Amino acid sequence: VPAATLRQMAREAKPDGVKGAVNQVWQVTAGKAAAGRFGLKANMPDLAQQIAGAMVGDLGITSPLFPAENCTRRQEACRIAVSGGSPELSAAQLQDLLTYLSLLAPPPRREGETEGQRQTVQRGQARFAAAGCTVCHRPTLETGDAPWPALARQTFHPYTDLLLHDMGEGLADGRPDYRASGRQWRTAPLWGLGRYAEINEHEQLLHDGRARNLNEAILWHGGEARNARERFRRLPREAREELFAFLRSL
């Protein structure tokens, strides 16, 4: 998604006091600041850096983007451990990972096998929009230029605006990240949510897994999402179940 599109969405007037901001982060390959897109606080500018960051931060595997070992001065065992090379992940291997993940298709929507199930999902989708959830969880975005023709100028449905939003003190972690404050989080993309429990073998949601299900995840929303949360809270049980059916269809 072009940075210009992100900035335009951030500038747009929105209801319910919703704002939205673009994080500005350091892009290693360009050697300059760029719009953040990946990560819980949009602290990575592109998929290559997201992959390389996860490799060194989560697995301790260096790459051309992050060639230094991820050891602090106090981690003596880490600093003397046998190296797998310098860097351990070659440029070609990093490119292979980038190609695979870039071209990995999102899971298809599952609206149900019967007409009744499909109607339930459709009603839930309407309730999701009426509550104001689509102000941040935007159903549709468009890509710009891309290294792969199959990804360029495409309309897709991630249910996010990729922007930072103040989610209230209840979800705050108190840790600024570039321009993201301790109360701001990137809107989580919802595509694939219906497969989340199946893939992860649990349904713990939000940045720290505190929410045990969709209902709790929504009720934890605060700050700019407060009004949408309150509309959801006032829904009768049947209407909530319809909304959940829609989310599980993604």
Side-chain angles (χ1 to χ4, degrees):
V1 178
T5 300
L6 301 182
R7 291 191 291 268
Q8 178 184 347
M9 289 191 294
R11 289 193 300 266
E12 289 175 357
K14 306 172 186 66
D16 295 334
V18 176
K19 298 176 182 178
V22 180
N23 202 355
Q24 285 294 117
V25 306
W26 187 253
Q27 188 171 31
V28 174
T29 54
K32 62 181 182 180
R37 295 175 174 82
F38 292 87
L40 295 172
K41 287 180 176 280
N43 67 351
M44 288 291 183
D46 54 51
L47 186 56
Q49 193 164 322
Q50 171 72 14
I51 295 168
M55 279 289 175
V56 72
D58 299 338
L59 302 176
I61 296 176
T62 59
S63 69
L65 295 189
F66 297 108
E69 296 285 353
N70 188 28
C71 304
T72 67
R73 287 180 296 176
R74 291 181 177 272
Q75 292 176 304
E76 295 181 4
C78 177
R79 290 190 287 108
I80 66 175
V82 176
S83 173
S86 184
E88 294 163 311
L89 189 73
S90 69
Q93 290 170 325
L94 179 58
Q95 182 61 45
D96 286 344
L97 285 171
L98 176 61
T99 299
Y100 168 68
L101 291 172
S102 295
L103 299 178
L104 190 64
R109 284 282 303 274
R110 299 176 299 167
E111 296 189 7
E113 299 179 358
T114 69
E115 182 61 26
Q117 290 173 333
R118 288 189 287 271
Q119 290 179 357
T120 297
V121 168
Q122 290 167 5
R123 288 195 296 271
Q125 184 171 4
R127 295 190 186 282
F128 186 77
C133 303
T134 54
V135 175
C136 299
H137 290 285
R138 296 201 180 204
T140 303
L141 294 175
E142 293 184 4
T143 65
D145 295 329
W148 295 273
L151 302 181
R153 309 296 174 182
Q154 294 293 319
T155 298
F156 66 111
H157 308 287
Y159 286 86
T160 179
D161 57 6
L162 299 174
L163 299 178
L164 297 170
H165 294 277
D166 184 333
M167 296 300 291
E169 193 58 36
L171 286 180
D173 68 348
R175 297 180 63 186
D177 200 336
Y178 291 102
R179 291 186 180 178
S181 74
R183 292 166 53 109
Q184 286 181 311
W185 300 95
R186 184 200 64 164
T187 304
L190 299 183
W191 59 355
L193 186 60
R195 297 282 191 181
Y196 184 88
E198 176 185 348
I199 292 171
N200 294 284
E201 299 182 350
H202 66 77
E203 202 174 17
Q204 304 294 122
L205 299 166
L206 299 179
H207 66 280
D208 55 4
R210 70 179 65 184
R212 295 169 294 182
N213 48 53
L214 293 171
N215 186 64
E216 289 188 5
I218 296 171
L219 292 176
W220 269 108
H221 282 51
E224 295 176 34
R226 180 180 180 277
N227 289 328
R229 179 198 67 199
E230 291 305 303
R231 293 190 192 99
F232 167 80
R233 191 196 298 274
R234 291 192 293 268
L235 289 175
R237 182 184 182 88
E238 182 179 354
R240 286 194 186 192
E241 292 301 324
E242 291 173 345
L243 193 151
F244 295 151
F246 160 66
L247 293 175
R248 293 191 178 102
S249 78
L250 297 178

